[in-house]
Amino acid sequence: MVRSVLEEMRIRSLGVIDDAVVELSPGFTAVTGETGAGKTMVVTSLGLLLGGRADPALVRIGAKSAVVEGRVALPSGAPAVVRAEEAGAELDEGALLISRTVSAEGRSRAHLGGRSVPVGMLMELADELVAVHGQTDQQGLLKAARQRQALDRYAGGAVSGPHAKYLAAYRRLKAVSTELDELTTRARERAQEADLLRFGLNEIAGVEPREGEDVELAAEAERLGHAEALASAASVAHAALAGNPEDPESVDATTLVAGAGRALDAVRSHDPALAALADRMGEISILLGDVAGELAGYADNLEADPLRLTVVEERRAALAGLTRKYGEYGEDIRTVLAWAEESAGRLTELDGDDDRIGELTAERDALRAELSGLAQALTDARTEAAARFADAVTAELAHLAMPHARVTFDIRQSDDPDGVEVGGRPVAYTSSGADEVELLLAPHPGAQPRPIAKGASGGELSRVMLAVEVVFAGTDPVPTYLFDEVDAGVGGKAAVEIGRRLAKLAKTAQVVVVTHLPQVAAFADRQLLVEKTDDGTVTRSGVTVLEGEDRVRELSRMLAGQEDSETARAHAEELLATARSEV
């Protein structure tokens, strides 16, 4: 199976390292060297590539910035490839180039596949690429959440299946509870709003306005208020057009126009232009007759009606009152009708909230019952997986200089009267379930199991992590593991077993180990030596791949402190032979 491999890293101006290239094996790489030579800078460099905190104190004195570059070979379609390409990164012949720069002033920059990216992007890729276990990185294992995640990861589908259903129900319950709380806490406000809307709608319904009515009434009021003046004007105008019956000698417009028309008709045959004027004069005569007739009818029908005027004014006042309260300034009754339509819809919505509260309450109770069952299923699955996981890790610890150590899991729940029911009692719950998971270690028979933070030293914690990763290797391996000081506090046969376990882990993943033990280094597929120059720096030539005689000399130095000791050389050759026969 093709897997991700960290092929090499280039480190410049970081700590004691001036400029060095670290070439890694796809299997097991051991990094060795004298104390203070800069071996730990390998761990630091990888941490920077994975988005770790940038400490300007790491920048070499006299340099403007420290730079770490890494090349990671990735299989096509790997999650890290997909995420990187989404960020605009480009692969170089199937490899992803990662770069991190830290300035002496504290500024930090990251590049991924030639594209500048936020440092957080490197952190996103970290979980897909490398698991780092150093004396400080192990602190993550001390967190309860990380221990639960480790157990869930080991359990696989037995936990992930129920958890997916649990998470869906949990999210729906949160949404329902939020909506229900909002509706119930705002009940008084909603009731007040509904009362105001109902009052307004009843008031409008009592008046029964219709669109355009206010405009019509305004015109009628104007006419009724000036009835006498209008009638007088109509009579005068009618007399001017049609004559006054009481004054036979009066001259009116209709008679004059008719006379003018007759005069033109008498001579129209002599001039077409005058004939056209005669026709127009005839049209005027007809129009005057029509207007005179309408004026006569208008005057006859127009009567002053004080009672009707009072009714109209009262109706206008009622409409104006509605407009002031429910319309918009300067607008007509249409805005009142629009408000009524909108408010009727809102009132229906508010009146339906009580029904909605009932529906949500029923759904919430059903979801809580469902969540209780799913939480219990998660607890059962974790409990079963925890026993297998603990037994497997304990078996590995027996080979890692901790033969009497025993690892167990404490899976418990906290009482919460507002929680979900698990095991017959209400308990607190989160998106991960109702379980609090804690990894316990009893380092020797008779010892009480204690949280690993209290029951394990730094070196023991490294070995616990190694045991955990070896157990994981067969189920859900991380592409690359880096261990720093995993062999702290051990030696002899136990060191050989650590080397053997690291080699076993390297069969399914890439393993990089910073070590001072020859028994561990002997099992490596590739051994890198970090050496300082005379001026105290590590240069490009200061990180070398050891092969043949050079590797024997380094193992001899690690064994006896003397590269040329015949006894040490013989022991080194024996170590290499033993390791090669087992790998």
Side-chain angles (χ1 to χ4, degrees):
M1 180 182 66
V2 179
R3 52 187 171 88
S4 303
V5 174
L6 177 61
E7 295 180 330
E8 68 176 26
M9 289 192 300
R10 183 177 182 183
I11 309 167
R12 288 178 288 175
S13 301
L14 185 70
V16 299
I17 298 179
D18 179 26
D19 189 351
V21 175
V22 180
E23 299 178 356
L24 303 173
S25 164
F28 180 5
T29 299
V31 181
T32 64
E34 295 279 5
T35 300
K39 301 187 299 297
T40 303
M41 285 297 103
V42 174
V43 180
T44 302
S45 299
L46 189 53
L48 287 173
L49 285 182
L50 300 177
R53 187 177 70 88
D55 185 356
L58 294 172
V59 179
R60 184 169 176 76
I61 296 176
K64 294 182 179 180
S65 61
V67 180
V68 181
E69 298 170 318
R71 180 182 176 88
V72 183
L74 294 167
S76 177
V81 172
V82 175
R83 188 67 187 94
E85 290 179 339
E86 288 176 351
E90 295 182 1
L91 270 65
D92 179 21
E93 297 181 354
L96 183 63
L97 302 181
I98 307 174
S99 174
R100 182 81 180 277
T101 302
V102 181
S103 73
E105 291 78 22
R107 293 188 300 274
S108 174
R109 290 180 297 157
H111 288 81
L112 189 66
R115 176 65 62 88
S116 178
V117 296
V119 174
M121 175 63 67
L122 303 187
M123 297 177 66
E124 289 184 32
L125 297 179
D127 291 340
E128 301 288 344
L129 298 176
V130 181
V132 179
H133 301 302
Q135 292 293 317
T136 56
D137 299 285
Q138 289 160 358
Q139 301 305 311
L141 185 64
L142 305 183
K143 298 177 182 178
R146 289 286 295 274
Q147 293 172 12
R148 178 189 51 73
Q149 291 169 3
L151 177 58
D152 289 355
R153 176 181 159 201
Y154 176 79
V159 166
S160 63
H163 182 252
K165 297 178 181 178
Y166 173 92
L167 187 58
Y170 174 85
R171 288 171 175 168
R172 178 56 188 164
L173 176 60
K174 287 299 181 184
V176 168
S177 298
T178 298
E179 185 178 355
L180 187 58
D181 288 344
E182 182 179 352
L183 289 176
T184 53
T185 55
R186 292 184 58 240
R188 178 177 298 180
E189 296 176 16
R190 292 185 297 104
Q192 291 174 345
E193 183 184 358
D195 287 343
L196 288 174
L197 292 176
R198 197 173 286 111
F199 177 84
L201 289 171
N202 289 337
E203 187 174 11
I204 293 173
V207 176
E208 295 184 341
R210 65 180 169 80
E211 186 173 348
E213 182 182 4
D214 50 347
V215 177
E216 296 173 3
L217 290 173
E220 185 178 359
E222 185 73 14
R223 186 170 62 254
L224 290 172
H226 299 83
E228 293 183 0
L230 293 172
S232 175
S235 298
V236 171
H238 178 268
L241 294 178
N244 187 349
E246 297 178 359
D247 183 7
E249 296 183 359
S250 64
V251 179
D252 58 85
T254 301
T255 302
L256 293 175
V257 170
R262 287 193 297 273
L264 294 175
D265 281 337
V267 294
R268 62 180 301 151
S269 60
H270 303 301
D271 187 351
L274 197 62
L277 293 175
D279 291 339
R280 291 173 63 188
M281 189 64 70
E283 295 171 359
I284 293 173
S285 180
I286 294 172
L287 182 59
L288 284 176
D290 291 342
V291 172
E294 291 184 16
L295 286 172
Y298 179 86
D300 292 340
N301 294 329
L302 185 62
E303 296 181 2
D305 189 348
L307 294 178
R308 174 58 186 168
L309 180 58
T310 300
V311 171
V312 169
E313 292 296 352
E314 290 177 350
R315 181 66 176 173
R316 290 185 68 199
L319 295 179
L322 293 180
T323 304
R324 283 194 302 272
K325 293 175 68 174
Y326 307 108
E328 296 180 7
Y329 179 77
E331 295 292 337
D332 54 30
I333 201 66
R334 287 177 299 178
T335 59
V336 175
L337 296 173
W339 181 90
E341 182 178 1
E342 181 180 343
S343 297
R346 174 59 178 164
L347 185 59
T348 300
E349 180 182 330
L350 291 172
D351 288 341
D353 280 350
D354 290 339
D355 295 335
R356 181 60 177 160
I357 288 175
E359 294 172 359
L360 290 173
T361 301
E363 184 178 4
R364 181 198 60 188
D365 294 343
L367 285 168
R368 289 177 65 86
E370 179 185 359
L371 212 60
S372 294
L374 292 171
Q376 184 66 63
L378 272 177
T379 298
D380 294 342
R382 284 172 176 152
T383 301
E384 188 278 330
R388 292 187 290 108
F389 190 14
D391 288 344
V393 174
T394 298
E396 286 297 328
L397 288 177
H399 299 287
L400 299 174
M402 299 176 70
H404 304 298
R406 176 70 184 171
V407 170
T408 57
F409 276 97
D410 179 22
I411 300 177
R412 59 186 182 276
Q413 298 80 34
S414 297
D415 292 335
D416 183 350
D418 297 322
V420 297
E421 187 170 306
V422 176
R425 73 184 205 277
V427 298
Y429 64 100
T430 68
S431 60
S432 301
D435 303 319
E436 298 174 16
V437 177
E438 191 166 33
L439 187 61
L440 306 179
L441 175 68
H444 54 81
Q448 282 294 109
R450 303 177 66 196
I452 57 174
K454 300 177 181 178
S457 64
E460 287 174 333
L461 189 55
S462 292
R463 277 171 275 163
V464 171
M465 275 310 306
L466 174 57
V468 168
E469 297 296 6
V470 170
V471 171
F472 277 150
T475 57
D476 184 22
V478 173
T480 299
Y481 297 97
L482 192 147
F483 292 93
D484 184 21
E485 302 294 337
V486 71
D487 47 19
V490 299
K493 183 179 179 181
V496 173
E497 289 300 332
I498 290 178
R500 184 176 288 117
R501 283 306 182 272
L502 290 168
K504 177 181 178 181
L505 182 60
K507 293 183 181 298
T508 56
Q510 182 182 32
V511 176
V512 181
V513 179
V514 177
T515 182
H516 66 278
L517 292 182
Q519 297 93 331
V520 173
F523 279 87
D525 299 307
R526 174 175 295 173
Q527 184 173 347
L528 300 179
L529 175 63
V530 181
E531 290 182 299
K532 288 183 180 180
T533 60
D534 292 338
D535 63 359
T537 64
V538 177
T539 64
R540 179 181 292 271
S541 60
V543 180
T544 56
V545 178
L546 299 179
E547 296 178 348
E549 181 63 25
D550 292 335
R551 188 171 186 185
V552 173
R553 284 174 58 83
E554 171 62 7
L555 290 175
S556 299
R557 182 199 64 77
M558 296 172 72
L559 281 164
Q562 300 175 0
E563 295 90 336
D564 299 325
S565 168
E566 290 299 326
T567 301
R569 287 177 59 82
H571 192 183
E573 290 173 349
E574 181 182 358
L575 274 177
L576 283 172
T578 300
R580 288 167 181 164
S581 66
E582 295 186 9
V583 175

